Amino acid sequence: MLYFVPTIIAFARGVRNAGSVLVVNLFLGWTLVGWVVALAMAARSTDRGSPYPR
């Protein structure tokens, strides 16, 4: 369960790249570096207040 914490955080926060977090977590999460990268991706800003339109 601890293995998928970055993925759970990403989907709970509604991060735009939650699918990418899942893929990184699934395939590289077994390494400490991959898990930390997935966690950083999940914790980054959700871009709600971006002044630029998409």
Side-chain angles (χ1 to χ4, degrees):
M1 186 71 172
L2 186 63
Y3 182 81
F4 287 106
V5 165
T7 301
I8 294 167
I9 291 171
F11 280 103
R13 293 187 70 228
V15 176
R16 244 176 45 153
N17 62 343
S20 299
V21 174
L22 174 65
V23 170
V24 169
N25 194 192
L26 189 63
F27 293 112
L28 298 175
W30 59 273
T31 66
L32 180 61
V33 173
W35 192 86
V36 170
V37 167
L39 185 61
M41 289 171 64
R44 69 184 288 209
S45 173
T46 56
D47 294 335
R48 288 185 187 164
S50 178
Y52 304 108
R54 296 198 179 175

